[in-house]
Each structure stands twice: as structure tokens, then as C-alpha cells.
Amino acid sequence: MAFVSLTDYEPIVGKQCIEELYLLAEGLKGKRIKMVNSTAVGGGVAEILNRIIPLLNDLGITTLWTVIKGGEDFFEVTKKIHNALHGEGLSFPPRMKEIFLEVSRENLRYIDLEQDVIVIHDPQPIVCIESKDRTHAKWVWRCHIDISNPNEEVWDFLKGYVEHYDVALFSSPRFSKQLSIPQFLFFPSIDPLSDKNRDLEPEFINQVLDRFHIPQDKPIVTQISRFDRLKDPLGVIQAYRLAKRYTDCRLILAGGGASDDPEGELVLDEVRAEAKGDPDIHILSLLPTSSLEINALQRASTLILQKSIREGFGLTVTEALWKKKPTIGSAVGGIPAQIIPNFTGALVHSIEGTAYQIRYLLSNPEIARKLGECGHEYVKEEFLITQALRRYLLLFHVLSHPGERIIFL
Ligand code: UDP
């Protein structure tokens, strides 16, 4: 996607919002910010950094990005740490800690720490904080993952590092922890100008539906997700079947990642077996480059589901709400931060509850339309990239005025 400037967002969020960003940036001109994470492409963190860093620079705040390096053994360890923070059982033997620390310290030799603020994303580069005394920078730990129920041994190990930071940022109130440092709520965000979210011509949407052989003769209920048991695709099919007894509709289950993930392939097979014989269920295996197709499928849908059993923030929900779609989501992870029941969508706790909401919203299109409208406004208020920028700018001001209770801009 071509570089866009901040003013390109003005028609979406309004002149006042953009002017506020320029005003907030005024007092930060000349500051040097460094973002550090572990991958330049793939995954939500890289996606947001790719968008937000040019915009910070556009505002006159020099923002650099360093991606830490590591071999297979390092990333195997960090993946285990990641899963353990999601609650998976893990023994954390000394050798794993050694690999983690050795590679982190090796990286520290190359990272230019002459900055005003250093933002470390997620656990992979967390050990960089060991260099705190070598810089005058303020240090921020930005946690993108749900650590509400972590493996305690792994969390205790990481907490020893986290508490040396100046502040920690979490994606949802549910994800925060008891810490000795200040914490801020930083919602994830979507970019309304990206291929995943920008407006599409109806002709293009129709073409995509034709390409996937999906007739638009009845309401379409859709869940976009990796084929993963935690996204409960079989539960989605059961809910659709219960609802369909009363209200005719089609179901789309679309997602990628199946070909390079053995478990994904397995789940996809299970889903296909479950759906067999029903011509109104459309199972689509998408390529990683399918942003425009996902956008089109979401826009063609009457209702969007996210019936996860566990969830991080649930960006598919944000994307659906942005497209004014009535959205039904499980009350897990970051979904309740986005779906306010009977206002921006429907929150559910079971297959039966999901079926009930499908039936209810398909039978009450005016209520469904209002939920979609409110969902869109709520995303505009809280979850767009311009809000993420605003939060970063405010944070940089707070860090530049330590101990001050009121900051005059
Ligand atoms: N997504 C995608 N291709 C797929 C399935 C999902 O690009 O086949 C996108 C989806 O549109 C969303 C993100 O991947 O932007 C998924 O984020 P979410 O927080 O919903 O779930 P996760 O996959 O991170 O658990």
C-alpha cells in the first residue's frame, strides 16, 4: 500500500481530530523515538508499526524501528514464552533462559539507544531494558498479548524485567497485571485506509463473491478466522444450523494459514467434514495476501460472527464493526471491550446463544442496522490508527514531564 499522509485521514475522522494530532506533536518535534520488536512483516504488531511509524515521522517526530535478530532456537524459546503467557503449561529450564538472555544481549550490542523514548513490543526484546542505565531514554513496554492468565513461572521471570520499565501498555483492561510501574490502556487499532478496511466498489464485492461461487440470494452470516479450534468453527456451524431452522441463511467460514500449519489443515478437514452436504455452507481457504477478499466478504455479509473460545483482542471484530456490520462475538479476550451488548453488537456465551442472536438479528434488520451504525462510531472513537497515534503522542508528553500532574501544551 502506498504511503498515506495524516491529512488523508481527515475525511474519515474529521479536521478537528487531525488538527489535534498536529497540536499534540508540536511540543514533541525533534524528539527521537525507537520502536523495537521481533519481526518486520507478518502479524498484527508489524502491521501496525508499518503504518504508525511513517505517520509519526510525518508529524515531525523522528521514529526509528529496530527488529531484533535471532536464530531458530531463540524464536522457538520466544514462541514457547508467548504460548506460556497465554496460559499453556511449560517448564522453563535454565537452557531456555540462557538462549533467551544470550541472544537478547547480543542484540543490545547493535541497538542505538540514543533516544528519548524506547518502546519495546512484546516479550521477545524485553531484556533490552538491561541497558537502561546506559541511556537517558524513557522505556516503555508495549504488551500486545493477553497475559491475564499466564504460566506463573514464565510471568515471574518476565516481570523481573517489566518492572524496570518506566511504563507498561496493555491492549485491554482484562490483560493488565499487578505491577509496581504505571500502566496505560492502549487499544489495538485498524487502519481505515488499508486494503482490509477501505471502502470498496459494489462491483468488486460482487466479483469476489462470484469468484468464490457464493450466491447473494439470502442473508450471509460470516466468520473470518484462522482455522483454529480456539475460534470454534464447528460451534459456528452448529449455531448456524440451529438458527437456520427458523431463518434461512448462508454461512461463510473463511480463513487462511491452513497449508503451512499442520493443525490448521486438520481443523480445516474437520470443518469440511462437518459442513459436507450443505450447499449453503461455504468454506474458503484464503491466501495470506487476501486482504481485499476479506474486506469484500465482510462487506457482503449480513451478520459477522466471532465465536472464539479464547481470543486476543479480536481484530476481526473491529474490522466488522468498522464496516457497520451487526456483529455477534463471544465474551472472551478483547471482544467485550469492543462489543457493548445491545449497543455496538451482541455478546454471547454459548452455541445456543449464538444461534438465538443470529435468528434475532436476521429477523430484526432495523435493530441490526442500528447496532452496525453504533459499532462503526465506536471504532471511530476508540480503535482507529489515528486514536493509536493520539495515545502515543499523549504518552510521549507524559514521559517528557515526569512527576507533573498537569501538562500545558
Ligand atoms: N486474517 C487474515 N486472513 C485470514 C484470517 C484472518 O488476514 O485468513 C486477518 C483478520 O482480518 C484480522 C487478523 O488476521 O485482521 C486476525 O486478527 P485477530 O485479532 O482477529 O485474531 P488472531 O488471528 O490474531 O488470533
Side-chain angles (χ1 to χ4, degrees), residues 334-392:
I335 296 178
Q338 306 184 61
I339 294 187
I340 303 168
N342 303 323
F343 180 53
T344 65
L347 271 189
V348 291
H349 301 82
S350 64
I351 289 170
E352 292 74 16
T354 309
Y356 171 80
Q357 289 294 350
I358 295 174
R359 185 184 162 198
Y360 176 73
L361 291 174
L362 289 182
S363 318
N364 292 281
E366 189 48 27
I367 293 174
R369 189 190 64 74
K370 280 194 182 135
L371 290 180
E373 292 282 343
C374 291
H376 174 82
E377 288 306 314
Y378 195 45
V379 172
K380 195 196 279 192
E381 204 63 33
E382 297 286 1
F383 310 122
L384 289 189
I385 191 169
T386 38
Q387 274 305 328
L389 265 175
R390 185 170 173 274
R391 290 193 176 99
Y392 269 118

Side-chain angles (χ1 to χ4, degrees), residues 43-44 47 190 196-197 224-228 231 254-258 284-291 294-295 298 306 308 310-319 323 338:
E47 196 165 315
I190 59 164
K196 185 78 69 60
N197 297 304
I224 309 275
S225 271
R226 293 177 292 105
F227 286 99
D228 180 325
K231 308 286 184 183
L284 312 180
S285 177
L286 302 175
L287 295 170
T289 49
S290 303
S291 292
I294 290 175
N295 188 345
Q298 287 168 330
Q306 193 56 56
S308 306
R310 287 242 296 275
E311 192 50 84
F313 186 70
L315 279 175
T316 47
V317 171
T318 332
E319 292 158 8
K323 292 167 186 117
Q338 306 184 61

